[in-house]
Amino acid sequence: MIRVQEASFDAGHEQQQLLAGRSDIGAVVSFTGLVRDFNERPDITALTLEHYPGMTEAALGEIVTEAEARWSLQGVRVIHRVGRLVPGDPIVLVVVASAHRRAAFEACDFIMDHLKTRAPFWKKEHSITGDYWVAERESDHRDASRWESENDEIP
Amino acid sequence: MSLTHLNQRGEAHMVDVADKPESRREATASGYIRMKPETLELLSEGGLPKGDVLATARIAGIQAAKRTHELIPLCHALLLSKVTVDFHLDKVNSCVDVVATCRLNGRTGVEMEALTAVSVACLTLYDMCKAVDKDMEIGAIHLDAKRGGKSGDYQRQGAPAAAPIVTGEGASGQVSVGSRCGIDSHCVRVKFLAELREQLGVADLTLPLDSLPSTDVGGLKSALVKRDPRFARLTEGRVLCAVNQVMALDPTPITNDDEVAFFPPVTGG
């Protein structure tokens, strides 16, 4: 299940819903991304997340489908927030359930790496010294590309 | 319609608001100060002799909003519940955009406070930067929106486009050079997202399909650049493109009624 929303979310509640009535799941991994008060500049007071409605949901769906093809998964939930957020706010949630832990850990990591490089979201950070759009990071592309090789070791 | 600050004899007077009910009032105003690109660069790097320019201008704007009644003769003294002053450094137009919002629960509107905050923030920016640039120009100070009160909500018509740029729609304040697409003619719909939209000053436009030298993304870029040289930005640096919401490259074909979006590299998560 994929959701793009302005409202906040409760990671515990989302995980419970994913697991409700299931006894075939042996492992669940949940990742929550939070808004930091420092990034390219210190003293960030807020950020605004813009997205491309339609394409966002399609891109996230494609990433989840790829993860499901690669690992045997019992359930996936991705929530990404848009709009104005302040430091400490949860911004993204990925919950992955599978029979065994390795698949859940790896699939969650895979989904986040690809979300950061392929899903059409843009962050504008508001800091004490002004507003600016966040630039892409080379390290995010390196993180995503490590899934392409046979060698999945983190460098 | 009449001027509320004039009485029946045409004399200026302060409006008695004692009997007006209290309600939530909010107003947003904006303006800009244009400067040399070198000045803007110094400002963004914190290299100006008077120190942290934007932090100082923000405090100045907030203070000014609180003291509006001392400056504007017939304004009431208000207990503002919120004042924000935000800055956006616009490198394309070489200016700082200033936006102020004021709010309170009370009996009078707060648009004068928001306008005063923008004005004084701009003046402070001038003061902080004048050592290196005396040609700076303050402009377009206006009310964007107000909410609450008897006169109802107000929303300024036409987006606060910093500078005119081509659009296919010809909204007020914008230059229309693109022929609008009729129902019968074949069209391509173009969107610009995030930072690219702000840099180009346009969110979407439509182009007749037959104005493209070749019916693909590359052809669309050439047609746009021919209409306005600013669109050369689309061929500089990393600009991504999607056709019908699927990632595309220059050779990707475009057909009638396709939606083509240009955007910067993504930064979610």
Side-chain angles (χ1 to χ4, degrees):
Chain A
M1 194 201 59
I2 287 154
R3 293 208 315 258
V4 178
Q5 63 188 41
E6 283 192 33
S8 190
F9 55 78
D10 177 344
H13 176 72
E14 298 296 336
Q15 179 168 323
Q16 272 173 17
Q17 284 204 321
L18 187 67
L19 302 179
R22 303 279 295 264
S23 53
D24 55 334
I25 293 170
V28 58
V29 168
S30 168
F31 170 83
T32 305
L34 305 172
V35 180
R36 275 192 311 264
D37 66 359
F38 67 94
N39 191 30
E40 289 178 22
R41 293 191 202 165
D43 301 319
I44 289 165
T45 54
L47 66 79
T48 304
L49 257 154
E50 177 175 332
H51 77 125
Y52 184 8
M55 183 172 173
T56 314
E57 291 82 354
L60 292 174
E62 198 176 272
I63 293 165
V64 170
T65 304
E66 286 173 26
E68 285 170 338
R70 196 161 168 152
W71 293 276
S72 172
L73 305 179
Q74 248 96 335
V76 178
R77 192 164 280 217
V78 178
I79 300 175
H80 203 298
R81 291 178 67 192
V82 292
R84 193 175 172 92
L85 304 174
V86 296
D89 278 351
I91 180 168
V92 59
L93 174 74
V94 178
V95 188
V96 180
S98 65
H100 304 286
R101 73 178 186 285
R102 183 71 58 213
F105 273 124
E106 291 186 355
C108 187
D109 205 10
F110 173 94
I111 291 169
M112 270 311 299
D113 280 349
H114 287 90
L115 181 152
K116 287 192 85 83
T117 51
R118 283 164 53 189
F121 292 102
W122 300 275
K123 284 191 192 113
K124 187 179 198 176
E125 290 182 342
H126 311 285
S127 83
I128 287 176
T129 53
D131 301 346
Y132 58 93
W133 289 91
V134 174
E136 68 175 330
R137 282 168 193 261
E138 186 48 43
S139 61
D140 287 338
H141 287 277
R142 272 203 307 278
D143 286 347
S145 65
R146 72 201 159 100
W147 299 102
E148 288 163 16
S149 62
E150 286 304 299
N151 180 5
D152 282 351
E153 292 296 315
I154 299 170
Chain B
M1 230 20 160
S2 63
L3 298 172
T4 55
H5 286 145
L6 297 181
N7 66 13
Q8 287 173 342
R9 291 189 297 280
E11 298 157 348
H13 81 303
M14 196 158 167
V15 178
D16 184 355
V17 295
D19 294 332
K20 286 173 111 182
E22 283 208 354
S23 65
R24 166 69 64 92
R25 314 292 194 107
E26 190 173 302
T28 300
S30 61
Y32 67 78
I33 177 164
R34 187 164 289 141
M35 55 188 68
K36 291 181 184 138
E38 308 88 83
T39 315
L40 189 64
E41 191 62 31
L42 276 174
L43 193 156
S44 69
E45 288 167 1
L48 283 158
K50 285 193 178 178
D52 193 339
V53 173
L54 295 177
T56 310
R58 175 178 288 112
I59 297 298
I62 292 170
Q63 291 287 66
K66 293 196 287 185
R67 305 184 72 161
T68 303
H69 69 284
E70 293 175 20
L71 299 168
I72 310 294
L74 301 176
C75 256
H76 295 84
L78 301 179
L79 270 176
L80 294 170
S81 63
K82 176 192 169 186
V83 182
T84 61
V85 180
D86 288 314
F87 302 100
H88 171 67
L89 306 188
D90 181 349
K91 293 198 174 153
V92 175
N93 297 304
S94 193
C95 65
V96 179
D97 297 319
V98 182
V99 181
T101 298
C102 295
R103 184 193 287 164
L104 89 168
N105 290 320
R107 297 188 172 92
T108 76
V110 286
E111 57 267 44
M112 289 315 301
E113 283 68 18
L115 286 163
T116 303
V118 171
S119 305
V120 172
C122 285
L123 288 172
T124 305
L125 289 173
Y126 190 100
D127 181 49
M128 298 289 283
C129 304
K130 68 181 189 294
V132 296
D133 186 354
K134 292 188 175 49
D135 295 330
M136 287 178 291
E137 186 180 296
I138 293 168
I141 296 177
H142 62 263
L143 181 68
D144 290 312
K146 69 171 287 219
R147 272 180 290 281
K150 196 177 68 179
S151 62
D153 293 354
Y154 165 83
Q155 184 76 43
R156 190 182 171 86
Q157 293 303 308
I165 190 164
V166 291
T167 78
E169 301 303 325
S172 66
Q174 296 178 318
V175 183
S176 176
V177 298
S179 40
R180 283 181 87 144
C181 286
I183 300 164
D184 303 329
S185 59
H186 289 180
C187 263
V188 52
R189 293 170 292 132
V190 189
K191 282 175 178 285
F192 304 96
L193 304 173
E195 188 174 16
L196 203 57
R197 175 189 62 239
E198 291 188 357
Q199 288 174 342
L200 295 171
V202 57
D204 32 9
L205 54 84
T206 50
L207 279 185
L209 203 57
D210 59 19
S211 70
L212 274 51
S214 57
T215 51
D216 53 26
V217 172
L220 173 61
K221 286 183 186 171
S222 317
L224 287 167
V225 173
K226 213 174 126 195
R227 279 168 193 279
D228 190 308
R230 271 187 239 194
F231 287 115
R233 172 75 185 85
L234 297 176
T235 57
E236 295 159 5
R238 286 250 297 150
V239 173
L240 307 180
C241 177
V243 174
N244 295 329
Q245 310 203 328
V246 175
M247 293 302 291
L249 297 167
D250 278 0
T252 307
I254 295 173
T255 55
N256 182 31
D257 212 30
D258 275 355
E259 176 178 293
V260 183
F262 292 101
F263 45 82
V266 302
T267 56

